[in-house]
């Protein structure tokens, strides 16, 4: 909330709360601190509503900063990563329960390789076609999305990069409505709710 910054110069760009409601014991602090901003923007409608409720201010909904650059810019930032097979699907999920959807595994015959840069199931470690690459830095993250055939993710930013790279993807909701809000918002804007 930038309480260490001079009040006259405070502005936010594409902030995100990640929740639908601020807990009661934090409401007063949020209300006071948000009122000190000269300009407020957020990346999802839920954030705009929170700012209105907490501070009575009209925040603008704007695009995420990664969307301010084009595909060429982000391609130039992607650093190649080592994988055993260049024909792979990417999993970047925050909970291995998403990987239990057997249709994903049966979608290819013979099955393509799978790379996970997030959660994984222990049994997948024994599969020669399943690779875990959790050490990827942000530039490696870009390369995995750019190179994958299809991306299966619960990550908001992975979805944004799939849109930038024009990559087929499936998005999994976490079940946390606040966290899922920005993901639902961007899918709605691009009319991709079916993903």
């Amino acid at each position: 909330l930038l309480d260490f910054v001079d009040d006259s110069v405070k502005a936010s760009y594409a902030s995100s709360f990640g929740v639908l409601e601020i807990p009661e014991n934090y409401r007063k602090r949020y209300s006071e601190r948000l009122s000190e901003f000269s300009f407020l923007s957020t990346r999802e409608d839920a954030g705009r509503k929170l700012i209105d409720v907490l501070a009575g201010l009209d925040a603008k909904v704007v695009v995420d900063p990664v969307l301010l650059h084009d595909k060429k810019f982000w391609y130039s930032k992607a650093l190649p990563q080592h994988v055993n097979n260049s024909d792979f699907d990417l999993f970047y999920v925050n909970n291995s329960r998403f990987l239990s959807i057997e249709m994903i595994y049966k979608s290819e015959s013979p099955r393509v390789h799978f790379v996970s840069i997030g959660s994984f199931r222990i049994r997948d470690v024994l599969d020669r076609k399943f690779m875990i690459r959790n050490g990827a830095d942000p530039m490696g993250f870009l390369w995995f999305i750019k190179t994958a055939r299809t991306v299966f993710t619960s990550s908001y930013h992975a979805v944004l990069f799939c849109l930038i790279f024009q990559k087929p993807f499936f998005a999994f909701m976490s079940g946390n409505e606040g966290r899922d809000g920005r993901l639902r918002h961007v899918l709605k804007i691009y009319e991709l709710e079916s993903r």
Side-chain angles (χ1 to χ4, degrees):
L1 294 170
L2 299 177
D3 53 353
F4 55 89
V5 175
D6 180 346
D7 297 347
S8 65
V9 295
K10 284 189 190 181
S12 78
Y13 180 80
S15 62
S16 182
F17 289 89
V19 295
L20 292 179
E21 289 186 30
I22 300 297
E24 190 61 42
N25 55 328
Y26 291 106
R27 283 178 169 256
K28 183 175 186 239
R29 179 173 180 195
Y30 269 83
S31 179
E32 291 170 354
R33 296 292 183 243
L34 288 171
S35 297
E36 295 170 355
F37 279 75
S38 303
F39 174 81
L40 287 162
S41 68
T42 181
R43 64 186 84 166
E44 73 268 347
D45 198 49
R48 184 193 58 74
K49 290 175 184 171
L50 272 175
I51 291 169
D52 181 39
V53 166
L54 294 168
L57 299 171
D58 183 26
K60 304 296 180 207
V61 177
V62 296
V63 299
D64 188 279
V66 303
L67 294 171
L68 299 178
H69 290 289
D70 63 9
K71 180 172 30 176
K72 183 179 176 185
F73 173 85
W74 290 115
Y75 263 37
S76 73
K77 302 297 181 195
L79 293 178
Q81 304 293 298
H82 174 72
V83 293
N84 299 336
N85 189 313
S86 61
D87 191 24
F88 66 89
D89 288 340
L90 178 68
F91 291 97
Y92 181 48
V93 295
N94 61 357
N95 188 318
S96 62
R97 72 183 163 95
F98 298 123
L99 300 179
S100 66
I101 301 171
E102 294 303 319
M103 66 165 231
I104 293 170
Y105 289 95
K106 294 177 181 174
S107 64
E108 286 291 324
S109 183
R111 202 171 103 189
V112 297
H113 285 70
F114 295 94
V115 172
S116 174
I117 58 172
S119 294
F120 58 90
R121 299 180 302 187
I122 295 300
R123 74 179 189 199
D124 293 325
V125 176
L126 304 174
D127 187 335
R128 288 190 339 235
K129 293 188 176 189
F130 191 89
M131 296 169 273
I132 300 166
R133 296 291 185 265
N134 284 350
D137 62 12
M139 303 307 116
F141 167 77
L142 291 175
W143 183 86
F144 278 117
I145 293 174
K146 171 186 147 189
T147 309
R149 288 174 358 115
T150 304
V151 177
F152 299 89
T153 187
S154 57
S155 163
Y156 170 74
H157 283 101
V159 166
L160 292 184
F161 283 113
C162 286
L163 293 170
I164 291 168
F165 295 153
Q166 299 173 324
K167 188 65 59 173
F169 70 91
F170 291 93
F172 299 104
M173 297 299 124
S174 70
N176 176 326
E177 287 301 318
R179 182 167 181 213
D180 292 341
R182 63 185 184 168
L183 186 50
R184 288 185 196 281
H185 181 79
V186 77
L187 291 173
K188 183 177 180 183
I189 287 172
Y190 288 96
E191 299 180 354
L192 292 171
E193 294 98 330
S194 64
R195 289 282 173 174

